[in-house]
Amino acid sequence: MQITERQHEILEIVKENQPITSESIAMHLNLSRSALRNDLSLLSMMGLLEAKTNVGYFYKEMPISTDLKELLLDIEVEGIMSVPVVMDEKASISDGIVSMFIEDVGTLFVVSDGHLAGVVSRKDLLKSMVGNIDAGATPLGMIMTRMPNIVYIYPEESIYIAATKLIRHEIDSLPVIKKTIIDGQEQLKILGRISKTTITKIFVELADGQLGG
Ligand code: ADP
Protein backbone atom coordinates (compact mmCIF):
# COMPACT_ATOMS: atom_id res chain seq x y z
CA MET A 1 0.00 0.00 0.00
CA GLN A 2 1.30 3.46 -0.92
CA ILE A 3 1.33 6.13 1.74
CA THR A 4 0.35 9.73 1.10
CA GLU A 5 2.61 12.73 1.38
CA ARG A 6 0.98 13.76 4.65
CA GLN A 7 1.38 10.27 6.12
CA HIS A 8 5.01 10.38 5.12
CA GLU A 9 5.36 13.71 6.94
CA ILE A 10 3.73 12.22 10.02
CA LEU A 11 6.22 9.36 10.01
CA GLU A 12 9.12 11.80 9.78
CA ILE A 13 7.77 13.84 12.71
CA VAL A 14 7.30 10.73 14.84
CA LYS A 15 10.78 9.48 13.95
CA GLU A 16 12.32 12.76 15.08
CA ASN A 17 10.24 13.33 18.21
CA GLN A 18 9.09 9.97 19.51
CA PRO A 19 7.28 9.33 21.74
CA ILE A 20 4.95 12.04 20.56
CA THR A 21 1.25 12.64 21.25
CA SER A 22 -1.31 13.14 18.49
CA GLU A 23 -1.77 16.74 19.71
CA SER A 24 1.89 17.46 19.14
CA ILE A 25 1.87 15.84 15.72
CA ALA A 26 -1.17 17.96 14.83
CA MET A 27 0.67 21.08 16.01
CA HIS A 28 3.70 20.25 13.87
CA LEU A 29 1.41 20.03 10.85
CA ASN A 30 -0.86 22.93 11.73
CA LEU A 31 -3.87 20.65 11.66
CA SER A 32 -6.56 19.64 14.10
CA ARG A 33 -6.32 16.31 15.91
CA SER A 34 -9.45 15.04 14.23
CA ALA A 35 -8.01 15.78 10.80
CA LEU A 36 -5.16 13.41 11.66
CA ARG A 37 -7.18 10.60 13.16
CA ASN A 38 -7.57 8.61 9.94
CA ASP A 39 -3.92 8.92 8.99
CA LEU A 40 -2.75 7.84 12.43
CA SER A 41 -4.99 4.81 12.57
CA LEU A 42 -4.00 3.79 9.04
CA LEU A 43 -0.28 4.09 9.81
CA SER A 44 -0.80 2.07 13.00
CA MET A 45 -2.70 -0.59 11.06
CA MET A 46 0.12 -0.80 8.54
CA GLY A 47 2.51 -1.43 11.42
CA LEU A 48 4.47 1.75 10.79
CA LEU A 49 3.44 3.45 14.02
CA GLU A 50 2.79 2.10 17.46
CA ALA A 51 0.52 3.93 19.89
CA LYS A 52 1.18 3.51 23.61
CA THR A 53 -1.56 4.73 25.94
CA ASN A 54 -0.59 7.85 27.88
CA VAL A 55 2.79 7.97 26.17
CA GLY A 56 2.22 8.64 22.50
CA TYR A 57 3.26 7.35 19.11
CA PHE A 58 6.46 5.47 18.29
CA TYR A 59 7.93 4.78 14.89
CA LYS A 60 8.41 1.08 14.23
CA GLU A 61 11.78 0.36 12.67
CA MET A 62 11.68 -1.27 9.24
CA PRO A 63 8.37 -3.12 9.38
CA ILE A 64 9.06 -4.41 5.88
CA SER A 65 12.08 -6.36 7.15
CA THR A 66 9.80 -9.22 8.23
CA ASP A 67 8.46 -9.41 4.69
CA LEU A 68 11.94 -9.21 3.22
CA LYS A 69 13.17 -12.00 5.47
CA GLU A 70 10.18 -14.14 4.52
CA LEU A 71 10.93 -13.49 0.87
CA LEU A 72 14.58 -14.46 1.32
CA LEU A 73 13.54 -17.58 3.22
CA ASP A 74 11.28 -18.49 0.28
CA ILE A 75 13.96 -18.28 -2.42
CA GLU A 76 15.66 -21.65 -2.74
CA VAL A 77 19.36 -21.99 -3.50
CA GLU A 78 18.57 -24.42 -6.34
CA GLY A 79 16.83 -21.75 -8.41
CA ILE A 80 19.64 -19.21 -8.24
CA MET A 81 22.89 -21.18 -7.91
CA SER A 82 25.53 -20.79 -10.58
CA VAL A 83 27.83 -23.27 -12.28
CA PRO A 84 30.71 -24.39 -10.03
CA VAL A 85 34.28 -24.37 -11.22
CA VAL A 86 35.67 -27.71 -10.16
CA MET A 87 39.29 -28.93 -10.29
CA ASP A 88 40.86 -32.21 -9.33
CA GLU A 89 43.06 -32.17 -6.22
CA LYS A 90 45.98 -33.31 -8.40
CA ALA A 91 45.68 -30.29 -10.71
CA SER A 92 48.53 -27.83 -10.22
CA ILE A 93 48.48 -24.40 -8.65
CA SER A 94 49.27 -22.97 -12.11
CA ASP A 95 46.20 -24.76 -13.55
CA GLY A 96 44.15 -23.34 -10.70
CA ILE A 97 45.28 -19.78 -11.41
CA VAL A 98 44.55 -20.16 -15.13
CA SER A 99 41.07 -21.57 -14.42
CA MET A 100 40.28 -18.73 -12.05
CA PHE A 101 41.05 -16.23 -14.82
CA ILE A 102 39.37 -18.13 -17.65
CA GLU A 103 36.22 -18.94 -15.68
CA ASP A 104 36.19 -15.54 -13.97
CA VAL A 105 35.59 -16.87 -10.45
CA GLY A 106 37.22 -16.20 -7.10
CA THR A 107 36.87 -19.69 -5.66
CA LEU A 108 37.69 -23.15 -6.99
CA PHE A 109 36.07 -26.27 -5.61
CA VAL A 110 38.47 -29.18 -5.43
CA VAL A 111 37.44 -32.80 -5.84
CA SER A 112 38.99 -36.13 -5.07
CA ASP A 113 37.51 -39.04 -7.07
CA GLY A 114 34.79 -36.64 -8.14
CA HIS A 115 33.71 -35.71 -4.61
CA LEU A 116 34.16 -32.48 -2.70
CA ALA A 117 37.55 -32.49 -0.99
CA GLY A 118 38.38 -28.80 -0.58
CA VAL A 119 38.20 -25.17 -1.60
CA VAL A 120 40.88 -22.86 -2.99
CA SER A 121 40.42 -19.09 -2.84
CA ARG A 122 42.32 -16.24 -4.50
CA LYS A 123 44.27 -15.58 -1.32
CA ASP A 124 45.12 -19.27 -0.91
CA LEU A 125 46.79 -19.07 -4.34
CA LEU A 126 48.54 -15.79 -3.53
CA LYS A 127 49.80 -17.18 -0.22
CA SER A 128 51.14 -20.30 -1.88
CA MET A 129 53.21 -18.16 -4.25
CA VAL A 130 55.05 -16.34 -1.44
CA GLY A 131 57.30 -19.31 -0.65
CA ASN A 132 59.71 -20.97 -2.99
CA ILE A 133 57.14 -23.16 -4.64
CA ASP A 134 56.96 -24.82 -8.04
CA ALA A 135 53.44 -23.76 -9.04
CA GLY A 136 53.45 -26.07 -12.03
CA ALA A 137 54.29 -29.12 -9.93
CA THR A 138 52.47 -28.44 -6.66
CA PRO A 139 48.91 -29.82 -6.53
CA LEU A 140 45.91 -27.79 -5.38
CA GLY A 141 45.37 -30.53 -2.79
CA MET A 142 48.43 -29.17 -0.95
CA ILE A 143 47.07 -25.68 -0.44
CA MET A 144 43.29 -26.12 -0.26
CA THR A 145 41.10 -25.71 2.79
CA ARG A 146 39.94 -29.27 3.19
CA MET A 147 37.04 -31.36 4.39
CA PRO A 148 35.63 -31.57 7.02
CA ASN A 149 36.15 -27.79 7.32
CA ILE A 150 34.21 -26.90 4.20
CA VAL A 151 31.04 -24.89 4.69
CA TYR A 152 28.37 -25.98 2.19
CA ILE A 153 24.67 -25.67 1.51
CA TYR A 154 21.88 -27.89 0.16
CA PRO A 155 19.82 -26.94 -2.92
CA GLU A 156 16.56 -26.83 -0.99
CA GLU A 157 17.90 -24.41 1.61
CA SER A 158 17.07 -20.72 1.36
CA ILE A 159 19.14 -17.84 0.09
CA TYR A 160 18.84 -16.34 3.55
CA ILE A 161 20.68 -19.31 5.06
CA ALA A 162 23.29 -19.09 2.28
CA ALA A 163 23.91 -15.39 2.94
CA THR A 164 24.11 -16.03 6.69
CA LYS A 165 26.76 -18.72 6.16
CA LEU A 166 28.83 -16.47 3.89
CA ILE A 167 28.83 -13.71 6.49
CA ARG A 168 29.31 -15.89 9.56
CA HIS A 169 32.25 -17.80 8.10
CA GLU A 170 33.72 -14.77 6.29
CA ILE A 171 33.95 -16.56 2.96
CA ASP A 172 33.08 -15.62 -0.60
CA SER A 173 31.50 -18.79 -1.88
CA LEU A 174 29.62 -21.95 -0.89
CA PRO A 175 29.43 -25.24 -2.75
CA VAL A 176 25.87 -26.48 -3.20
CA ILE A 177 25.98 -30.18 -2.50
CA LYS A 178 24.09 -33.43 -2.42
CA LYS A 179 25.13 -36.15 0.01
CA THR A 180 25.55 -39.66 -1.38
CA ILE A 181 26.68 -42.88 0.24
CA ILE A 182 29.39 -44.69 -1.74
CA ASP A 183 30.86 -47.94 -0.41
CA GLY A 184 29.31 -47.15 2.96
CA GLN A 185 31.04 -43.76 3.00
CA GLU A 186 29.30 -40.41 2.92
CA GLN A 187 30.45 -38.35 -0.09
CA LEU A 188 29.52 -34.86 -1.23
CA LYS A 189 28.61 -34.31 -4.87
CA ILE A 190 28.94 -30.70 -6.05
CA LEU A 191 25.79 -29.38 -7.76
CA GLY A 192 26.44 -25.65 -7.91
CA ARG A 193 27.84 -22.55 -6.34
CA ILE A 194 26.49 -19.62 -4.34
CA SER A 195 28.79 -16.62 -4.10
CA LYS A 196 28.57 -13.11 -2.75
CA THR A 197 27.93 -12.05 -6.36
CA THR A 198 24.89 -14.35 -6.51
CA ILE A 199 23.50 -12.69 -3.39
CA THR A 200 24.19 -9.19 -4.76
CA LYS A 201 22.37 -10.07 -8.02
CA ILE A 202 19.34 -11.28 -6.06
CA PHE A 203 19.43 -8.10 -4.01
CA VAL A 204 19.16 -6.00 -7.18
CA GLU A 205 16.50 -8.26 -8.73
CA LEU A 206 14.42 -8.00 -5.57
CA ALA A 207 14.72 -4.22 -5.60
CA ASP A 208 13.70 -4.16 -9.28
CA GLY A 209 10.70 -6.36 -8.55
CA GLN A 210 11.91 -9.23 -10.74
CA LEU A 211 11.72 -11.76 -7.92
CA GLY A 212 9.20 -12.55 -5.24
CA GLY A 213 5.61 -11.28 -5.15
P1 ADP B 1 39.91 -14.96 -0.12
O1 ADP B 1 40.82 -15.89 0.63
O2 ADP B 1 40.36 -14.76 -1.53
O3 ADP B 1 39.63 -13.71 0.63
P2 ADP B 1 37.57 -16.31 0.92
O4 ADP B 1 37.23 -15.24 1.90
O5 ADP B 1 36.43 -17.01 0.24
O6 ADP B 1 38.49 -15.75 -0.23
O7 ADP B 1 38.44 -17.41 1.64
C1 ADP B 1 39.03 -17.26 2.91
C2 ADP B 1 39.55 -18.62 3.38
O8 ADP B 1 38.43 -19.47 3.60
C3 ADP B 1 40.43 -19.31 2.37
O9 ADP B 1 41.50 -19.96 3.03
C4 ADP B 1 39.53 -20.34 1.71
O10 ADP B 1 40.20 -21.55 1.34
C5 ADP B 1 38.52 -20.64 2.80
N1 ADP B 1 37.17 -20.89 2.25
C6 ADP B 1 36.57 -20.31 1.18
N2 ADP B 1 35.35 -20.82 0.97
C7 ADP B 1 35.16 -21.75 1.93
C8 ADP B 1 34.09 -22.64 2.26
N3 ADP B 1 32.95 -22.69 1.56
N4 ADP B 1 34.23 -23.45 3.35
C9 ADP B 1 35.38 -23.42 4.08
N5 ADP B 1 36.43 -22.62 3.82
C10 ADP B 1 36.33 -21.79 2.76
Side-chain angles (χ1 to χ4, degrees), residues 119 121-124 145 149-151 170-173 175:
V119 168
S121 75
R122 280 178 276 230
K123 277 196 218 124
D124 291 333
T145 300
N149 297 323
I150 303 303
V151 185
E170 297 180 5
I171 48 179
D172 288 351
S173 183

Side-chain angles (χ1 to χ4, degrees), residues 87 89-98 124-143:
M87 311 271 307
E89 62 176 346
K90 295 192 191 76
S92 71
I93 290 176
S94 306
D95 292 340
I97 293 172
V98 170
D124 291 333
L125 290 169
L126 279 175
K127 234 189 298 167
S128 74
M129 301 306 290
V130 173
N132 211 352
I133 203 167
D134 182 352
T138 311
L140 290 174
M142 285 272 290
I143 64 156

Side-chain angles (χ1 to χ4, degrees), residues 114-188:
H115 301 288
L116 180 63
V119 168
V120 172
S121 75
R122 280 178 276 230
K123 277 196 218 124
D124 291 333
L125 290 169
L126 279 175
K127 234 189 298 167
S128 74
M129 301 306 290
V130 173
N132 211 352
I133 203 167
D134 182 352
T138 311
L140 290 174
M142 285 272 290
I143 64 156
M144 68 187 182
T145 300
R146 57 184 58 247
M147 287 293 288
N149 297 323
I150 303 303
V151 185
Y152 51 77
I153 189 141
Y154 297 104
E156 60 278 6
E157 286 190 278
S158 71
I159 179 135
Y160 179 76
I161 300 292
T164 307
K165 286 187 172 185
L166 289 172
I167 298 295
R168 187 174 304 149
H169 296 278
E170 297 180 5
I171 48 179
D172 288 351
S173 183
L174 295 171
V176 182
I177 63 106
K178 181 182 166 191
K179 276 192 178 161
T180 52
I181 306 287
I182 293 173
D183 297 334
Q185 283 235 320
E186 193 177 78
Q187 304 282 12
L188 308 185

Side-chain angles (χ1 to χ4, degrees), residues 24-209:
S24 303
I25 301 173
M27 264 164 52
H28 271 85
L29 290 167
N30 263 336
L31 290 168
S32 70
R33 255 180 87 191
S34 58
L36 276 186
R37 195 166 301 135
N38 278 349
D39 287 327
L40 289 175
S41 45
L42 202 91
L43 289 171
S44 305
M45 252 164 46
M46 288 166 81
L48 294 162
L49 287 185
E50 192 177 358
K52 287 206 180 132
T53 326
N54 299 329
V55 184
Y57 284 91
F58 288 87
Y59 175 69
K60 282 172 94 177
E61 273 309 318
M62 295 282 290
I64 54 156
S65 65
T66 354
D67 290 349
L68 181 60
K69 187 166 176 183
E70 269 170 30
L71 205 57
L72 295 177
L73 282 166
D74 268 353
I75 302 172
E76 285 188 4
V77 158
E78 182 156 35
I80 52 143
M81 66 190 188
S82 49
V83 180
V85 177
V86 177
M87 311 271 307
D88 191 86
E89 62 176 346
K90 295 192 191 76
S92 71
I93 290 176
S94 306
D95 292 340
I97 293 172
V98 170
S99 290
M100 236 182 220
F101 276 93
I102 291 178
E103 308 285 351
D104 196 16
V105 289
T107 312
L108 304 169
F109 299 144
V110 183
V111 291
S112 168
D113 290 330
H115 301 288
L116 180 63
V119 168
V120 172
S121 75
R122 280 178 276 230
K123 277 196 218 124
D124 291 333
L125 290 169
L126 279 175
K127 234 189 298 167
S128 74
M129 301 306 290
V130 173
N132 211 352
I133 203 167
D134 182 352
T138 311
L140 290 174
M142 285 272 290
I143 64 156
M144 68 187 182
T145 300
R146 57 184 58 247
M147 287 293 288
N149 297 323
I150 303 303
V151 185
Y152 51 77
I153 189 141
Y154 297 104
E156 60 278 6
E157 286 190 278
S158 71
I159 179 135
Y160 179 76
I161 300 292
T164 307
K165 286 187 172 185
L166 289 172
I167 298 295
R168 187 174 304 149
H169 296 278
E170 297 180 5
I171 48 179
D172 288 351
S173 183
L174 295 171
V176 182
I177 63 106
K178 181 182 166 191
K179 276 192 178 161
T180 52
I181 306 287
I182 293 173
D183 297 334
Q185 283 235 320
E186 193 177 78
Q187 304 282 12
L188 308 185
K189 185 169 180 266
I190 305 171
L191 305 176
R193 172 171 68 98
I194 293 283
S195 67
K196 284 186 176 166
T197 308
T198 324
I199 307 284
T200 312
K201 272 192 197 146
I202 296 296
F203 182 78
V204 172
E205 284 175 18
L206 278 173
D208 289 346

